[in-house]
Each structure stands twice: as C-alpha cells, then as structure tokens.
Amino acid sequence: MSRSSLWARVQQWRGVVLVVAAVVATIWLALNNQLILYIHPRYVVFTVVMAAVALVLVVASFLLRLGHNHDEPPTRAAARLSTIASLLAVAVAVAMIVVPPATLTSATVAQRDINSSGVGAEVQSVDAAADSSDAVFAAFTVLDWASLLRQTSDTSFYASKPVDVTGFITEDANDPDNVFYVSRFMITCCAVDAQPVGVPVYLPGWRDQFAVDDWVQVTGEFVPNASQSSTEQVALLPAAVTPVGEPSEPYLF
Amino acid sequence: METTTQQRSGEAGRLPPEQPGERARRRGLSGRARWLVIGLVGIVGLFVVRHLTAGIEDAGLPNQFQDFLTLSISVIIESLPFVVLGIALSIVVQVWVPDHLFLKVLPKNRVGRRVVISLLGVLLPVCECGNLPLARGLIVKGLTVSESMTFLLAAPIVNPITILTTYQAFGWNDGILVSRLIGGFVIANLVGWLYSRHPAQQSLLTDRFAAECKVPAGHAHGETRWQKSVQLFVRETGVILPALFLGSVVAGLVQVAVSRQVLVTLGSNPVWSILAMMVLAFIISICSNVDAFFILPFASTFLPGAIVAFLVFGPMIDIKMIALMRTTFRTRVLVQIVVVVALASALLGLVINYVA
C-alpha cells in the first residue's frame, strides 16, 4: 500500500475508531453503573440506546467495502495539521479507555466557588423545614443544609437538630487550618456543570487527621462559628468525623 | 471524476485478466470477513482493557489534570448520543427521503423557504452538535448554503426537546421560554437572509466539503441504500468526531483554567451580566437540549436578559460548535457568523433587561 493510500485509509477510518472508543467507554460505564459520574441519570437510557445504535453502524461498516474517496490529496501543511488533530483526538480516546473513571476533585471546587450562584436555594425552605422531625433532619444532605444556611444564620433554628452528612473535604479559603467544608457536587446535566455545595465544619487541627479530598461522614450540630477569619457565621460542630469510602453515587442530582 | 477512473482502472489492473469478476467477489468476501473479525476482536479487546484498567486504585494524576480529563470526557459522553442521532437523521434525509418529495414541500419564495426551513427543527429534534451533520446533509441534498445555515442556527432552539426542557426548567417565568424561541428564530433568519445576498454560495464552504457536495453519496455505483447509509456513516463520523473530540478538549481546558467566580460576580449588572452569560455559554459548550437545567441555578442571581442571552447564544455558538462548524464553513464566514449572532443575542438580552 503506497503512503498516500495508507494516509487515505487512516483518514477514512478515524471517525469509526473514535466512535468505537467513546461507545465502549459509555457502555462499560453504564454496565458498571458509573455513567452517572459524567451525566445526569435522566440521560442514561438515551445515551445507552444511541451508543448501541452507533455500535450497530460500526459493525455494519466492517462489512462494507468502502468505495474510493473523492478528497483531494491534502497539501503537506494540511496533512500535518490534520495529523496533529487526529493524534490529540486519539490521545483523548485512549484516556477514555485507560484512565480509571473518576469524580471531580477539590481542584474544581476551588475553581467554581463553593455554594455560589444560588445553588440549591429552593431545595429547602426554613418555614417548611422548621417543624420536621429529627429523622427528617438526620436524612438531610449537605445540599439541604447548605440551602437552609443560605436562608438563615439564626442559630436558634438549628439548635438541637441532628446533622449527619457525608461528603469530601475542601478547605475554607479564609481559615484553612480550622474550618473545612463537607462538600458534594450537584449536577443538573453533566459533570461539566457540576456546582460544589457544602457545609462548613469547625474542627481546629483537622489536617492532623484528614486531607483535602478525603470522604468523611460528619455528625453534630450547627452552632455559631468560632473561627475568627471564616466568613461563615454558622458552622457544624462535629460530634464525630468518620472516614468513609467514596459513595457509589458521589454527585447529588 | 478523473481520480475515479484512474483508481478504478488501477484496481482492475492488479487483478489477473481471466474471470476478474469472480475473483474480485471472492476476494471481497474473504476480505470483508477478515475485517469483521479484526473489528470485533478490537472492540472486545477495548472492553477488556477498560475493565482491567478501571481497577487501578490511584492513577497518580494530579487533581487538575484528572478534572480536565473528567470534564472533557463528560462533554464527549454527553454529546455523543446527539451526534449519533444527528448523523442517523442526516443519513435518512440524504439516502432515504426522495429528492423531489423533499424539495417540493418547500415554498418557492426565498424568505418563505427559510422560515419553513428554520421550523424543520420541530420535525428533526437534534441539538447543535447533531445538527451540523444534518445541515451538511441538507446542503448535499440541494438546499443553498444560506438556507442550511438558517436551519443550523434555528433547529437547536426551535425543537421539541429543547422547548420541553426549557419549559420544565423555567415554566412561563419572565418570558424566558418565549424570548428564547422567538430570538433564536429571528436571529437564524437574519443570518440566513444576510448570506442569501452572497452571490457565490459555494465559496462559503471549505474546499473539502464543497468537493463532497459535488459528488453525492454513493453516486452511480449501483450500491444499495444500506451500503450508501453505512458509507455515509463512516464519512460523517470521520469529519465530525475529531472535531467533537478537539472541541471537548478545549472546553475541558478552559473550564480548568478560568475561574467561574469572576463570571458570577457580574450577575446583577444589566450589561455585564449578559456578556458574562454569553462567555459562559461559549466556554461550557453543552447541548441546547439540556442547557436550561444547567442555567436554572443561576436564575436567582442573573437578570432574565442574561439568561435569555445564554439560552439563545449557547446553542448557536460555543467552543465545541466552532470546531464542528469549521469542518464545513470557511474561517472568515465563521467569524462573521459569530459576530452577527453575538451582537444580536446581546441586543436581545439588553432589550429584555431594560424593557421587562
């Protein structure tokens, strides 16, 4: 096979190769219930169905003897540029297959400003939550609490309400040694739009026991924040902070 | 057509002179079986590799690089089903819908044609990334470049899934849904009208795509429609997928590099909030079918005009979309479209902020 016809072959099949990589990654994630690391659960069925359609078309294309293609042979510069683009795309495809699926980390929290932009503002309302039972409060996620904390810093509201939340640790930028956030990402469509939410925990010297990005379960009660430099008025005073593994559904939807 | 004849005579020349047809058929069959086996083994191999590597506890990648990968892959996984749907519909339009049926239903009047074309999205519910292969298909099918541009810009907004998700997210609040639909429709027709005045429509296209248009899929080789369909699938994925992957990488990089905080602090200013939201729409590159859910949490901090600017500008122009559109339109044309759509979206947002 001459060089130019080899080039033509590669160009012809590059799309199919990329489709195969993306489809294999998608189907494998779906089978292992990890597609939700990348997209909202409501799109899982649609994504899997279209991946299956793509796979059928790919297999059909293996059976096809492709005709000639009508492209002009590329100029040298165009060919080089196209090669670079193809290599980059293939590198991403390889990463999709080889790099273990992962959740977003504290690096993205730092980038996106925890509890910003009214995230979860309407998830809970102070009035509606006021008369709930302890069991209801104990089941609240960090998103529920963050929503309440946004609305009121009146500590009498939080008095003797049990808190039991799970999330990963991110540091409070204003008082990184004494306060950390138990945080989760909230996803409305896919990981690209992940918004970090979290509740502040006052625990001086937390770094001696934990590191940023560790997953923990924290129980306790909200009290006025004892930190001097943190901007949070109310913080969780932990009764216990227990290290836990990353949950199978790390994001909140 | 010259290359065609040369290549065909070249192929024939390699075969021995006696009973060439018989040999070619046998060679074709065994060749096809061989490729099928290689392909299937490859796919299974990838599954095995994926399964083995997923068990690695700590990949040892720095957090930022890991998040860059997660975000890029997320854009690809989110877009892929829409791209596949778009390519599938494009195949249906090009191969399975008869030419006369398709062109006959369109009005003769040019403005009327564009209006109808911009409403085609109601029948072909794809978002912007699936739309590009479809718009390419429409050009091949005989629409003018400006007409398919109208379709390309309008269809991601004027389409049932987008309408439904926008309604789910916003209801009738602040006229966001209505402004989005009307805004998208008007801007698409504006761009279509501007380019319909261009005397040489084909010169708007990249050389490569213009060449493809001259030779429609599976011309005169006596292939079945199924063969043509699969051939088109291979050709369109070859063009669209690399662009999708590159666009996703750039979008992932920008997400990791640009702080979201800067944009959000601009929320309450009537002018800056619009620009901030358009920049956000540009870099986040998510599909129009789902973007209403994304922007919903911002609705309390941003003015309605900014939300509408996001919902109108995003489906037409973003990083991923520019990579995709570059496969079809010349760079100069692309820059012009971006400028016109950006100005019109910003104007729409301003009107809403000051009037509503």
Side-chain angles (χ1 to χ4, degrees), chain B residues 242-295:
Chain B
L244 173 70
F245 273 59
L246 288 184
S248 305
V249 166
V250 176
L253 262 184
V254 174
Q255 309 269 335
V256 176
V258 177
S259 171
R260 194 68 67 75
Q261 219 167 327
V262 185
L263 293 175
V264 174
T265 48
L266 301 169
S268 54
N269 179 296
V271 179
W272 288 113
S273 67
I274 291 170
L275 294 181
M277 270 296 152
M278 284 169 56
V279 171
L280 187 63
F282 184 76
I283 61 181
I284 196 149
S285 305
I286 54 178
C287 286
S288 66
N289 290 343
V290 293
D291 61 358
F293 289 114
F294 164 73
I295 203 64

Side-chain angles (χ1 to χ4, degrees), chain A residues 104-151:
Chain A
L104 292 169
T105 68
S106 55
T108 301
V109 177
Q111 207 50 256
R112 297 192 176 179
D113 198 20
I114 199 159
N115 296 342
S116 72
S117 70
V119 169
E122 280 126 39
V123 173
Q124 292 292 338
S125 89
V126 171
D127 295 338
D131 301 322
S132 302
S133 69
D134 282 2
V136 172
F137 285 113
F140 270 19
T141 63
V142 290
L143 176 62
D144 299 313
W145 286 114
S147 172
L148 290 173
L149 286 172
R150 170 181 294 280
Q151 294 164 56

Side-chain angles (χ1 to χ4, degrees), chain B residues 174-237:
Chain B
D174 300 319
I176 286 175
L177 174 59
V178 175
S179 318
R180 180 182 205 187
L181 289 177
I182 296 176
F185 176 81
V186 170
I187 294 174
N189 278 284
L190 173 74
V191 173
W193 173 73
L194 284 176
Y195 280 100
S196 71
R197 303 174 63 83
H198 197 289
Q201 299 266 312
Q202 292 298 312
S203 71
L204 303 168
L205 302 174
T206 53
D207 294 335
R208 182 167 175 205
F209 183 57
E212 272 174 30
C213 290
K214 283 185 205 129
V215 271
H219 55 107
H221 286 295
E223 291 142 319
T224 66
R225 285 184 173 188
W226 291 106
Q227 281 171 321
K228 282 184 208 167
S229 301
V230 175
Q231 215 164 52
L232 254 184
F233 173 75
V234 173
R235 195 172 84 182
E236 286 301 297
T237 51

